[in-house]
Amino acid sequence: MCGIVAYTGIKQCKNILLNGLKRLEYRGYDSAGVGILSVNHSSKIKNPVFEIKVAKEAGKIKVLEELLKDIEMQGVCGIGHTRWATHGEPTQINAHPHFDCKQKIAVVHNGIIENYAEIREELIKKGHIFISQTDTEVLPHLLEGYLKSETNGSLLVAMQKLMKKIRGSGAIVAISVEKPNEIIAGRIASPLIVGTSRDGNFLASDMPAVLDHTRLFTVINDYETVCVTRDKVKIYDSNGKLVQRNPFKVNWSIESAEKGGYEDFMLKEIFEQPYGIKETMRGRLLDGELNFEELNLTDEQIKNLKKIQIIACGTSYHAALTGKLVIEKWAKIPVEVEISSEYRYRDPIVDEGCLFIAITQSGETIDTLAAIREARGKGAKVMAVTNVVGSTVARESDSVIYTHAGPEVGVCATKTFSAQIMVMYLTGLYLSKVKGLIKQENYERIIEELKMIPNKVQIILNNAERLKKIADETYKYTCFLFLGRIYGFPMALEGALKLKEISYIHAEGYAAGEMKHGPIALTDNKTVVVGVIPQDFVYEKMISNLQEVRARNAKIFAIVSEGDKNIEKYADYIFTIPKTIEELNGILTVIPLQLYAYYIAKNLNRNVDQPRNLAKSVTVE
Ligand code: G6P
């Protein structure tokens, strides 16, 4: 997830772009840059020749701001970008905009080009030279190539051709020296809006970037292209036909626009999960096949794996527990899961033939980092699963699987968690396939089910009001027990953790079978028991556990699969999730748990984005 802003009009654009980028910093902040169409001083006044001046730098936007103070960049048409790295580390060279060979076209991009490697190869054969490690850099080179043939020199037509060539996601915005007042853009899956004003027009990833200048917006849809000049906006559909669309007006404040109209970043991020999960699958689930080369293990190495060791902290630890379940079930490799802070101090043994996986959304958690160093010091190969490209864990591991969930601003993990679980599913299935342990028919069925997960998550989100109602009726209780078995157990732990983190109510997550060994002593009429009880092979056992706590007057809130009529006899509150195969129930059951915790915390007026005593990235012991 990156931020884009572009302007063409009658005003100088340097500060418009810079201020727009500052408003988008929540979308990405590891490097930033601007490109402005400026008159080349050596050209004639009557017949000016334009060049694209680019300034870009690694680091936060204030680094770019400092740089821009010393650079003269005159011009009324330009593009800006704040980056959240996906391909290539956050360096000056990898920052956007990117150029074609002759530096006549500049492009900024938000998204992932899945087939960039093959396009890059093709272009290199045609003589194009690349200087960055990004997927984005193929875009200006493709445009350059198309402009040479069959496009009559039209950057718009070139963009339309490009949209048919690339696979993946992208909001792509381009300028060219040939038309110094024109911006051309296209969209596949990543957000892109046009803002219109009397002094010029804008393109942006999100409204806050330009709310200081306009409140009139038009959304660009998937596979559309758009040509923006200072007084016209022309939108084209995927066949190149002109589309009529009237702008709409928004009254949002900048603060609420940053949160996409949601009250908090946490709620926004919970609702972003269908998109986040799709991004995690992107490029890895192709045409009914799993492509997981990033694992960086040969088939031979996978077949010889004797053990997997997963370490993590907090919410990531719960993703690790899910990883254990699916890897053992599908790939038949024994998996040990351990909390990083324990692992690092216990003089662990690193066995030969053991793959070591570290899960961390931030990539900076000091305990996880120390555990990695410990394991590598003893000869382990480490695979990191993280959301932050170029993070310390990513740099210090042998291979990295990025979750691509986009930046998470809320302190407690939500969308990064569902993305981590998806990576665990993909890993388990891939290992199983390579080991030849799964029947083709079952493999295809799981892939089909995986592809349906984002829509099923959306169905749950559409029913958020129901969770708010349950939270409104239960938020005054002071003891919460979350129970689950097998795939539901890590989610019970996560549900309890979410509630503690943001509401400050005491909550425990338990394997339901352990109730009788202690926690049942706590249950009385002041307790809410949240049962994670989707349709699976331990359903009946879960029902028995709920009956036990109900007999002790606890209120029961059950999260069940749709069509479960039986549960009404046992639960006071019910929330249904769509059906899926039992191994994948976890990713669906955690969504209502996140929302439930959120609404309880809101009833108690808690600051859910910055809960007391907690930090997004824990770099101290
Ligand atoms: C902090 C965050 C949690 C996170 C944990 C582990 O406590 O508030 O949301 O789960 O760190 O972080 P990591 O970045 O390693 O996943």
Side-chain angles (χ1 to χ4, degrees):
M1 199 156 107
C2 307
I4 288 175
V5 59
Y7 170 75
T8 175
I10 56 174
K11 294 185 176 172
Q12 285 296 315
C13 69
K14 182 165 117 176
N15 285 334
I16 293 178
L17 297 177
L18 186 64
N19 291 332
L21 291 180
K22 283 186 193 163
R23 301 269 194 226
L24 291 179
E25 208 161 11
Y26 68 93
R27 297 183 61 87
Y29 37 74
D30 57 39
S31 46
V34 294
I36 294 176
L37 280 153
S38 301
V39 176
N40 183 325
H41 289 313
S42 53
S43 67
K44 302 215 168 71
I45 294 176
K46 269 197 183 155
N47 212 356
V49 172
F50 281 81
E51 63 184 349
I52 302 172
K53 284 201 166 171
V54 162
K56 55 187 191 178
E57 201 44 272
K60 294 204 169 216
I61 306 228
K62 58 178 190 302
V63 180
L64 177 70
E65 188 173 19
E66 281 305 308
L67 178 74
L68 286 176
K69 280 184 188 157
D70 302 327
I71 302 181
E72 205 203 322
M73 284 179 106
Q74 298 282 331
V76 292
C77 178
I79 55 181
H81 187 267
T82 170
R83 181 165 184 248
W84 172 258
T86 59
H87 293 70
E89 293 199 0
T91 57
Q92 197 264 350
I93 286 184
N94 288 336
H96 300 209
H98 288 281
F99 275 129
D100 65 328
C101 291
K102 295 195 178 131
Q103 307 207 336
K104 300 217 157 166
I105 302 165
V107 170
V108 292
H109 164 230
N110 166 30
I112 296 172
I113 313 290
E114 286 168 13
N115 54 342
Y116 86 98
E118 63 193 66
I119 296 177
R120 197 171 151 124
E121 279 310 303
E122 279 172 32
L123 289 165
I124 287 172
K125 279 188 196 138
K126 289 182 185 165
H128 291 258
I129 293 165
F130 290 87
I131 56 170
S132 81
Q133 302 159 303
T134 63
D135 52 344
T136 301
E137 202 184 357
V138 298
L139 301 173
H141 288 269
L142 271 179
L143 291 172
E144 178 184 25
Y146 291 145
L147 277 174
K148 280 188 196 146
S149 62
E150 300 167 58
T151 50
N152 270 337
S154 160
L155 189 60
L156 174 70
V157 177
M159 181 68 80
Q160 287 164 343
K161 286 186 76 139
L162 174 146
M163 301 275 287
K164 296 205 162 85
K165 173 83 177 168
I166 59 168
R167 266 201 329 263
S169 61
I172 303 159
V173 180
I175 49 175
S176 142
V177 293
E178 301 303 335
K179 295 261 179 73
N181 294 313
E182 184 183 271
I183 306 171
I184 301 292
R187 172 198 165 155
I188 310 173
S190 306
L192 186 65
I193 50 161
V194 172
T196 38
S197 83
R198 266 187 309 187
D199 296 338
N201 294 320
F202 303 83
L203 277 152
S205 301
D206 208 350
M207 292 174 199
V210 295
L211 269 184
D212 285 335
H213 308 281
T214 181
R215 298 203 159 245
L216 276 181
F217 292 100
T218 312
V219 172
I220 304 302
N221 294 329
D222 277 352
Y223 297 99
E224 286 180 344
T225 46
V226 55
C227 172
V228 178
T229 53
R230 64 177 56 150
D231 52 4
K232 279 203 182 64
V233 175
K234 287 186 174 170
I235 303 171
Y236 301 85
D237 69 13
S238 56
N239 299 317
K241 258 180 64 191
L242 205 57
V243 177
Q244 282 306 328
R245 189 169 304 145
N246 291 330
F248 58 91
K249 195 166 179 190
V250 297
N251 296 316
W252 289 349
S253 67
I254 286 178
E255 205 211 359
S256 80
E258 275 182 358
K259 295 175 188 158
Y262 291 98
E263 235 176 276
D264 316 271
F265 279 109
M266 179 181 174
L267 190 60
K268 173 174 177 270
E269 286 155 4
I270 290 175
F271 273 81
E272 279 171 354
Q273 288 178 107
Y275 178 76
I277 296 168
K278 263 192 214 160
E279 287 299 293
T280 307
M281 292 196 283
R282 191 176 293 290
R284 294 166 178 159
L285 264 187
L286 284 176
D287 309 324
E289 269 299 332
L290 256 178
N291 168 5
F292 221 25
E293 279 164 16
E294 307 141 275
L295 273 185
N296 220 2
L297 292 173
T298 62
D299 289 3
E300 216 37 50
Q301 284 170 318
I302 290 175
K303 284 175 190 158
N304 288 330
L305 278 179
K306 302 262 175 323
K307 189 171 103 179
I308 292 178
Q309 170 93 49
I310 316 183
I311 52 120
C313 305
T315 292
S316 299
Y317 175 70
H318 303 150
L321 292 175
T322 302
K324 171 183 172 69
L325 292 169
V326 289
I327 294 171
E328 289 192 343
K329 170 109 199 243
W330 289 334
K332 308 289 179 225
I333 303 170
V335 181
E336 280 175 14
V337 176
E338 195 165 346
I339 291 166
S340 316
S341 53
E342 288 294 304
Y343 181 91
R344 64 180 287 196
Y345 287 121
R346 73 166 169 82
D347 198 12
I349 297 163
V350 173
D351 303 323
E352 235 180 87
C354 171
L355 171 66
F356 191 92
I357 303 179
I359 309 181
T360 162
Q361 51 84 22
S362 64
E364 301 296 343
T365 304
I366 193 72
D367 285 324
T368 302
L369 195 57
I372 291 172
R373 288 174 182 159
E374 175 75 26
R376 287 189 93 198
K378 292 183 168 174
K381 285 265 171 266
V382 176
M383 172 185 122
V385 177
T386 184
N387 198 39
V388 183
V389 175
S391 54
T392 315
V393 164
R395 282 186 272 117
E396 293 202 15
S397 299
D398 299 282
S399 61
V400 191
I401 310 289
Y402 289 113
T403 42
H404 295 320
E408 193 172 63
V409 180
V411 162
C412 70
T414 53
K415 66 175 179 173
T416 52
F417 180 57
S418 49
Q420 288 170 346
I421 299 176
M422 182 49 77
V423 168
M424 291 295 102
Y425 292 159
L426 299 178
T427 307
L429 191 58
Y430 183 76
L431 296 178
S432 166
K433 173 81 172 155
V434 172
K435 288 184 74 186
L437 293 175
I438 193 160
K439 286 201 183 111
Q440 184 63 18
E441 182 191 316
N442 197 19
Y443 174 71
E444 283 169 16
R445 193 171 72 101
I446 297 173
I447 288 189
E448 276 317 299
E449 287 292 338
L450 285 170
K451 287 206 269 189
M452 286 191 277
I453 292 291
N455 284 348
K456 290 182 180 174
V457 170
Q458 189 59 54
I459 291 169
I460 295 169
L461 295 172
N462 293 347
N463 209 2
E465 267 305 302
R466 167 88 193 119
L467 291 156
K468 180 172 183 312
K469 192 150 180 291
I470 301 171
D472 290 349
E473 289 180 28
T474 51
Y475 75 95
K476 287 191 178 147
Y477 283 77
T478 49
C479 175
F480 283 72
L481 289 173
F482 290 72
L483 302 182
R485 280 174 183 259
I486 315 297
Y487 303 107
F489 171 49
M491 303 309 140
L493 293 177
E494 177 60 10
L497 179 62
K498 284 286 88 89
L499 189 65
K500 293 186 243 221
E501 279 181 307
I502 58 171
S503 73
Y504 320 145
I505 299 174
H506 181 78
E508 298 269 5
Y510 255 91
E514 278 291 288
M515 273 297 283
K516 52 189 176 290
H517 301 298
I520 199 159
L522 292 173
T523 47
D524 59 16
N525 62 358
K526 293 186 199 69
T527 311
V528 174
V529 173
V530 182
V532 182
I533 175 171
Q535 271 313 318
D536 60 17
F537 69 103
V538 284
Y539 177 85
E540 295 296 337
K541 304 233 170 286
M542 280 296 300
I543 290 286
S544 306
N545 294 133
L546 292 192
Q547 276 177 293
E548 285 158 19
V549 284
R550 198 155 204 227
R552 276 129 189 122
N553 297 322
K555 280 271 178 230
I556 311 286
F557 168 24
I559 295 175
V560 295
S561 302
E562 64 187 339
D564 182 342
K565 293 276 179 287
N566 179 47
I567 196 69
E568 283 164 18
K569 295 192 275 256
Y570 307 106
D572 302 280
Y573 306 100
I574 298 164
F575 186 85
T576 53
I577 56 161
K579 279 191 185 150
T580 181
I581 52 172
E582 56 189 31
E583 294 91 327
L584 307 186
N585 271 329
I587 200 166
L588 296 183
T589 48
V590 78
I591 312 290
L593 293 172
Q594 295 168 343
L595 281 167
Y596 183 53
Y598 171 84
Y599 288 122
I600 287 187
K602 291 302 281 186
N603 267 306
L604 296 167
N605 283 324
R606 307 295 192 223
N607 180 343
V608 293
D609 284 341
Q610 289 173 336
R612 70 183 183 199
N613 309 337
L614 300 179
K616 184 83 200 148
S617 136
V618 183
T619 51
V620 290
E621 274 197 63

